[in-house]
Amino acid sequence: SCHSPFQCVVKHVLDAIRGDITTTMGQFSAWSFPAVVLWEDLWFSWRTTFILLSMIWWNFLLQPLITGIIIDSFNQLRHHSTNSKQSMEERCIVSEIERFRFDGFPGEWEQRRGGKYVWNY
């Protein structure tokens, strides 16, 4: 049981963050309960503040930023792949001539479609 409202709140916050470590280390360890008041144990208070700020920094700022960069990178890869396939269906890969210019030459576009003509070089 805790001895002050501050101690109860800090104990519940820390147990929520890192789990109930008192079951592993025992009741008489330094981890069992925080200080009764904030100014009694400044190291514990600063450590708790650092843990909370680190979690806020990671969970709310860095992790979404990294996730967004990864999603954007995959989107760019998919866009590049789609554009490459579309370009190969609309233009000759060797001469970059549009497929509609080959309408006057029957069968010529079918030989060049999709980069098949490249292997003749």
Side-chain angles (χ1 to χ4, degrees), residues 1 34 36 38 45 53 61 69 79 83 85 87-88 96 121:
S1 66
V36 177
L38 177 63
S45 301
L53 289 177
L61 297 174
I69 289 171
H79 183 69
N83 284 347
K85 289 178 184 176
S87 177
M88 287 185 71
E96 288 291 320
Y121 284 95

Side-chain angles (χ1 to χ4, degrees), residues 25-75:
M25 301 184 84
Q27 286 287 37
F28 301 105
S29 69
W31 289 91
S32 59
F33 280 104
V36 177
V37 289
L38 177 63
W39 55 86
E40 188 175 304
D41 187 7
L42 289 178
W43 169 247
F44 185 83
S45 301
W46 284 112
R47 185 184 64 201
T48 304
T49 305
F50 178 75
I51 290 171
L52 290 173
L53 289 177
S54 298
M55 291 183 64
I56 289 171
W57 175 256
W58 174 253
N59 289 333
F60 293 119
L61 297 174
L62 289 180
Q63 194 174 16
L65 184 68
I66 293 169
T67 304
I69 289 171
I70 291 171
I71 290 172
D72 190 44
S73 298
F74 279 114
N75 186 22

